[in-house]
Amino acid sequence: PELTMASNTISIAEANRKVVRAELYPEFSAGYFIQSIAGNQEINGQSIYYNSDLQFQGFSVGIALPIFATSDLAKARAARINVIRQETNLKILKAQLVNKYIQLNDNLKTSEITLQYYEDVASANAKLISKNAEKAYKFGEIGYIQYAQMMEMALEIELNYSHAIFN
């Protein structure tokens, strides 16, 4: 969605640039009119009656040239720079997403390797440590503090295994 939004932002900036550039072009206009005048009209001191049948026709053609276009030129340059900026933002966003993907993929591989280690080696070692600690304590070979330390070590391994599963 972020890439789509960034692409759409580029399209909007490009459309805005075209609008600003269009303001620099000359404008052409053409018009046509028909008019009728009914009633008395005074022309050169004489009153002349016109009925509605007589019509006046005419046309107009015009061209508007932007003479003082320095501000419009600056707007066009700014619009072009905005398009370049939006394209650069898209490239940066793509690079960030690629880097994030690579980082997450590396984290996944590391987590898989860690999980495999705990499944193959560490979990079995934790069970062995806890089993040996119980036997040694039961037969009096170790004291309670050593027994608690060994059980803590076994539980720590199991806890790390749980974290590896979570990751």
Side-chain angles (χ1 to χ4, degrees), residues 123-136:
S123 184
N125 286 347
K127 289 177 185 173
L128 185 62
I129 289 170
S130 124
K131 184 178 175 183
N132 288 339
E134 286 179 20
K135 281 183 184 178

Side-chain angles (χ1 to χ4, degrees), residues 5 12 17 19 21-22 27 38 41-42 48 50 57 61 65 71 89 98 100 109 111 113-115 119 123 130 141:
M5 188 173 84
I12 291 169
R17 184 187 68 83
V19 167
R21 279 188 56 209
E27 292 182 26
Q41 302 293 324
E42 189 169 320
I48 301 175
Y50 290 102
Q57 300 178 8
V61 177
L65 298 172
S71 66
N89 287 344
V98 166
K100 189 172 185 177
K109 289 177 183 176
S111 294
I113 291 169
T114 303
L115 180 62
E119 287 177 349
S123 184
S130 124
E141 295 174 7

Side-chain angles (χ1 to χ4, degrees), residues 14-34:
E14 184 64 33
N16 185 39
R17 184 187 68 83
K18 288 179 181 178
V19 167
V20 171
R21 279 188 56 209
E23 291 175 1
L24 295 172
Y25 298 136
E27 292 182 26
F28 298 98
S29 63
Y32 173 74
F33 68 90
I34 297 176

Side-chain angles (χ1 to χ4, degrees), residues 42-99:
E42 189 169 320
I43 301 176
N44 295 330
Q46 292 183 345
S47 181
I48 301 175
Y49 176 77
Y50 290 102
N51 63 9
S52 60
D53 293 340
L54 186 59
Q55 297 180 343
F56 299 97
Q57 300 178 8
F59 66 92
S60 65
V61 177
I63 182 170
L65 298 172
I67 297 173
F68 303 106
T70 54
S71 66
D72 290 335
L73 288 171
K75 287 178 188 176
R77 281 191 297 270
R80 184 174 42 105
I81 290 169
N82 187 37
V83 169
I84 293 169
R85 192 182 99 222
Q86 296 302 333
E87 289 172 346
T88 304
N89 287 344
L90 178 64
K91 289 176 186 175
I92 290 170
L93 181 62
K94 282 181 181 179
Q96 287 173 342
L97 290 175
V98 166
N99 288 338

